[in-house]
Amino acid sequence: TIRIREKQIPLVSSDRSTIFSYDRFGALRILNRLRPDLYNLGDVSPFAPSKFAIGNRRMAWSSGGSNRTIHVINAEQEKRVLGDHGEQVEMLAVSPDDRYVVSGGTQLRLWDLKDDTSVLLASFPKPVRHLAFVGQTLFCATAEGKVHRLELPSGKAELVGEHGALLRGMVGVVVDPKGRWFATSGVRQRVYLHDLQSGQKRLLSEGKKGARGLAASPDGEFLAMSVADSEVQIVSALAEREPVVLQTRERREDLAFPAFSSDGRSLVMSSEHLGVRLWSDWQNKPEESRVLAANDDTSFPVFSPDGRLIVAPGGDSGFTSVWEVATGQRRDIKGSSTSMQAQYWPAGN
């Protein structure tokens, strides 16, 4: 199955030099220094690699007729095949130290790149929908709404929370970068914040549409969620205070997929048919925002680590759009087909 319309989360390299992407025909490419030149890393298969994840100096992806073969590549562009996951891969994660790759479907498998071994960590009734590392701790959320915490490499696991309904796909979970809480959004339009220290679950939102995206601030102090067509709420994750509400003048703008800058000061979201909307100082000036226009249906925008760029894939147009935050100037980098996913690689050069 070739997933043409699937949209996934982009990231940005620390020196703003490299965008790593693939197209739906399986071609892995490097877009170097934001030029339109495409450096092809190789066609891994005639099928789209359905998932990939980036660590510090390594990236992992799945490919093959049923998306079950796991590959890795390092910053020097040395590739290797890890092996067969055993079923279709739904999610991947790379540990911060680049030693481990975790692949998840209904089974969760750990690949040790140092010892060149793999082990089955767990099996679930429903497939994995989210994987996130916090140090050597792995958070794993399944489609049925259960979130597990696993210590690596032992694989010791505990159930740390339940949403109570099916999760909203890949946008349904976000984990505090410091591992103190996580938030879930379900198909029944409820958003919960789960406090891992107290074990309590707090209802944050209960609307007609539910949250179309969740984001944790880099310091873990705040949670951003899109709760209505033209409204965003930013909630204090560690204290029960009134949320900061960001609104736009457009009545039905369809905001989604929030992302914080690395200093937590700015917030960007996709704005359907407009491009992306940017709040440069959401805490002090929540009423001030601007649209960075695009040609097509952009999604999952992210900041570069230095906050000077915003990048978002452009759907069926095949473009990846790059904006200079200071000037709003946009540059479109043309891929060979549908722009499904773009990520900045921290060690890319």
Side-chain angles (χ1 to χ4, degrees):
T1 300
I2 299 177
R3 299 179 180 178
I4 298 176
R5 293 292 298 179
E6 184 173 349
K7 303 170 183 177
Q8 300 183 21
I9 300 175
L11 299 173
V12 181
S13 69
S14 58
D15 61 1
R16 303 188 300 126
S17 66
T18 306
I19 298 174
F20 196 95
S21 66
Y22 65 76
D23 64 34
R24 66 187 174 94
F25 296 105
L28 296 171
R29 301 179 186 278
I30 282 182
L31 307 170
N32 195 357
R33 299 200 178 279
L34 307 182
R35 300 178 309 187
D37 311 86
L38 293 176
Y39 296 84
N40 195 349
L41 294 185
D43 296 335
V44 295
S45 80
F47 300 91
S50 76
K51 302 295 175 185
F52 72 77
I54 290 177
N56 181 28
R57 299 190 59 81
R58 283 193 173 97
M59 172 223 170
W61 75 93
S62 62
S63 73
S66 57
N67 291 318
R68 52 190 285 172
T69 303
I70 310 299
H71 309 251
V72 292
I73 187 170
N74 60 19
E76 292 71 39
Q77 300 184 24
E78 299 168 333
K79 295 183 290 186
R80 59 188 279 206
V81 177
L82 295 185
D84 191 330
H85 174 77
E87 60 174 354
Q88 179 170 314
V89 174
E90 299 291 342
M91 290 299 297
L92 285 165
V94 181
S95 64
D97 62 1
D98 290 323
R99 175 169 179 174
Y100 301 111
V101 173
V102 176
S103 55
T106 57
Q107 298 179 347
L108 194 66
R109 184 170 292 276
L110 174 71
W111 307 83
D112 189 328
L113 302 185
K114 181 179 179 179
D115 297 338
D116 201 22
T117 59
S118 68
V119 62
L120 182 64
L121 291 178
S123 296
F124 306 108
K126 299 288 184 180
V128 170
R129 286 290 179 259
H130 186 81
L131 293 172
F133 273 99
V134 178
Q136 294 299 100
T137 301
L138 177 71
F139 287 85
C140 171
T142 61
E144 61 187 338
K146 295 183 178 181
V147 179
H148 304 262
R149 181 170 56 191
L150 298 91
E151 299 297 331
L152 299 182
S154 68
K156 181 182 178 181
E158 62 175 325
L159 179 67
V160 292
E162 296 188 54
H163 181 80
L166 296 179
L167 296 178
R168 289 178 62 88
M170 61 176 297
V171 299
V173 183
V174 66
V175 179
D176 168 27
K178 296 183 179 180
R180 296 164 297 182
W181 57 267
F182 63 92
T184 56
S185 175
V187 296
R188 294 180 181 174
Q189 294 81 45
R190 292 181 178 179
V191 180
Y192 289 103
L193 188 140
H194 307 253
D195 188 324
L196 291 171
Q197 296 175 331
S198 67
Q200 296 181 344
K201 181 171 71 171
R202 176 160 46 117
L203 179 64
L204 298 181
S205 176
E206 188 174 14
K208 294 181 179 180
K209 289 188 175 182
R212 298 191 63 233
L214 304 170
S217 62
D219 59 7
E221 297 289 326
F222 298 99
L223 167 71
M225 54 186 181
S226 55
V227 296
D229 292 329
S230 58
E231 180 181 308
V232 183
Q233 290 187 9
I234 301 182
V235 178
S236 174
L238 302 178
E240 293 193 32
R241 295 196 295 262
E242 286 296 315
V244 177
V245 179
L246 311 181
Q247 290 183 312
T248 66
R249 296 179 180 178
E250 290 77 4
R251 295 184 63 183
R252 294 187 61 83
E253 191 172 338
D254 206 8
L255 295 168
F257 316 126
F260 286 96
S261 58
S262 59
D263 61 5
R265 180 179 178 181
S266 301
L267 184 81
V268 67
M269 300 190 69
S270 71
S271 176
E272 189 172 8
H273 308 308
L274 294 179
V276 299
R277 183 171 287 277
L278 169 66
W279 284 265
S280 297
D281 188 358
W282 63 266
Q283 283 186 294
N284 298 312
K285 301 177 180 179
E287 72 285 352
E288 294 186 12
S289 65
R290 57 190 170 111
V291 170
L292 305 178
N295 289 327
D296 209 309
D297 184 21
T298 57
S299 62
F300 292 105
V302 294
F303 287 93
S304 61
D306 61 10
R308 296 172 60 187
L309 295 178
I310 293 172
V311 177
D316 285 339
S317 69
F319 284 97
T320 295
S321 296
V322 183
W323 293 269
E324 292 280 351
V325 171
T327 64
Q329 183 178 2
R330 188 189 81 230
R331 187 169 193 175
D332 293 331
I333 300 173
K334 177 63 176 176
S336 61
S337 185
T338 298
S339 179
M340 292 173 59
Q341 183 174 354
Q343 292 196 16
Y344 277 108
W345 196 346
N349 53 17

